[in-house]
Amino acid sequence: MAVLEEVRDRRTPLSAQGAGLTLALTATVVWSGNFVIARALHDTVPPVQTAFWRWIIALLAVAPFAVGRVRREWPVIRRHLGFLTLAALLGVTLFNTLIYQAGRSTSATNMAMIAAASPVLIALFARGGERLGGRRTAGMALALAGVVTLVGKGSPAAVLGLDFAGGDLWMLAATATFAGYSVLLRRRPEGIGGVSFLFMTFALGAAMLLPAYGVSLAAEGGFAPTARTVGPLLYIGVFSSAVAYFTWNKAIALIGAARAGVVYYLQPVCVALLSLAVLGEAVTPVQLLCMALIVAGVALGAGGRR
C-alpha cells in the first residue's frame, strides 16, 4: 500500500498538486476565521447547540447542490453507509462539539498547543498508506517548532510549564478525531461524489447530535436568535462547514492527508493575521519569527517527498 501511494504521488501532475495545496490552504484560512468568530458564541450559545445548528445550516447550504446527486448515487451510498456513518461521527458529530466543550474549561493557549498536534497525528495515522520521507518530516518538525515557540511566547521550554486544565482532554480528543477523519477521507468509496459525501455526513452527523441537543435544551435552555448569535452561526455553518470541509476533502483526495496536514500548521499564522485585521491586535517580533518558521516548514514539508 505504501509503495502504491508513493507511485500515485509521483504521478500526480504538478497542476493537481498545486490545486491540492491551494484547497488545503483555503480550508485552513476559513477554519482560522472560525476561531475568531466563535468567540462571539462562547457566552451565548451552549456547545452542543452551537454544533447542532452549525451542521443544520451546513446541510441546508449544500442541499440544493446535493439532492440530485444523492439520488443518482444512492445505490453506492447505501452500500457504504457504515463508512459514511464513521466519517460523520468523527468529522461532524464529535470534532467541533469537543472543541466547543473544551473551550469552557481550558485556555486558548492550551487549545492552540494541543491543536498543533493535528498534523503529527494525521501523519502517524496515515503512516501505513503514505510514506513521509525526510523532507516532509523535516518540514513538519520545523513548523511544529514554530508553533511551540509561538505558544510559549518565544520560549519553547515555557510550554512545559503550562497549566493544563480538564478541558485539555476534550481538546486532545478533538484533535484525534480530526486526524482520524482526515485519514479516513483517503478511503472514500468510488462512486460517491464530494458534494454527496458532504450532504450525507452532515445529515448523519446532525442526526447523531440530535439526542445530545435535546438534553442540552432541557438542561441549559435555548438561546436568543439575535444578530450576535445568528451571524456567527451562519459563518461557521456555511463557510467553516460547507466550504471548508469541501475544500479540505478535495485537497486530501489530490495530495493525501499527510501533505495537507502540513499546510494545517499555517493556522496559527492565519489566526494572528486575522486578529490583527479584525481585532487590531499587534503582532510582536517573536510572533513574526515564529510565523517565518511555520511558513518555511510548510513550504518544505508540502513539497515533493525526498
Side-chain angles (χ1 to χ4, degrees):
M1 180 64 73
V3 174
L4 177 61
E5 291 293 340
E6 183 175 7
V7 172
R8 182 184 302 168
D9 182 73
R10 288 176 176 174
R11 290 180 178 176
T12 302
L14 291 177
S15 58
Q17 293 185 31
L21 293 173
T22 300
L23 290 168
L25 178 60
T26 300
T28 300
V29 171
V30 174
W31 278 328
S32 300
N34 179 42
F35 279 91
V36 177
I37 294 296
R39 294 178 184 176
L41 300 178
H42 176 70
D43 296 323
T44 54
V45 186
V48 172
Q49 295 181 41
T50 299
F52 178 78
W53 284 109
R54 168 181 181 159
W55 298 116
I56 292 298
I57 293 170
L59 188 63
L60 294 174
V62 302
F65 311 98
V67 172
R69 292 180 172 88
V70 169
R71 288 176 180 170
R72 291 192 297 271
E73 299 168 9
W74 182 249
V76 181
I77 291 173
R78 184 172 55 188
R79 289 199 303 270
H80 297 284
L81 274 178
F83 174 88
L84 292 169
T85 300
L86 178 59
L89 177 65
L90 294 176
V92 176
T93 304
L94 292 178
F95 172 48
N96 287 280
T97 307
L98 290 170
I99 289 179
Y100 300 140
Q101 184 64 39
R104 284 190 152 189
S105 55
T106 190
S107 66
T109 299
N110 282 19
M111 291 178 69
M113 174 64 192
I114 296 170
S118 289
V120 177
L121 289 178
I122 290 173
L124 290 176
F125 291 171
R127 191 64 182 90
E130 297 181 30
R131 295 181 61 186
L132 296 179
R135 175 173 176 170
R136 193 171 302 170
T137 301
M140 288 176 58
L142 185 61
L144 181 59
V147 171
V148 171
T149 305
L150 181 63
V151 173
K153 302 183 185 303
S155 173
V159 173
L160 299 177
L162 288 176
D163 182 19
F164 287 96
D168 297 323
L169 295 177
W170 293 112
M171 191 62 206
L172 182 60
T175 301
T177 59
F178 177 73
Y181 170 79
S182 295
V183 174
L184 193 66
L185 291 176
R186 196 65 168 173
R187 302 181 181 180
R188 191 180 78 194
E190 293 185 7
I192 301 179
V195 176
S196 299
F197 180 83
L198 285 185
F199 181 85
M200 290 304 304
T201 52
F202 290 174
L204 291 168
M208 286 186 279
L209 269 174
L210 187 57
Y213 176 74
V215 172
S216 177
L217 279 180
E220 303 173 280
F223 63 91
T226 65
R228 291 185 58 193
T229 56
V230 174
L233 283 173
L234 286 173
Y235 177 89
I236 62 176
V238 175
F239 294 99
S240 293
S241 300
V243 174
Y245 271 72
F246 179 82
T247 54
W248 182 257
N249 295 355
K250 184 64 175 178
I252 288 178
L254 289 173
I255 61 176
R259 188 181 294 181
V262 175
V263 178
Y264 193 77
Y265 274 124
L266 286 172
Q267 187 159 267
V269 177
C270 297
V271 171
L273 294 177
L274 284 172
S275 296
L276 174 64
V278 177
L279 304 177
E281 296 180 355
V283 178
T284 66
V286 170
Q287 288 174 322
L288 290 174
L289 174 61
C290 294
M291 290 179 193
L293 286 174
I294 295 169
V295 171
V298 170
L300 180 64
R305 184 168 45 249
R306 295 178 185 173

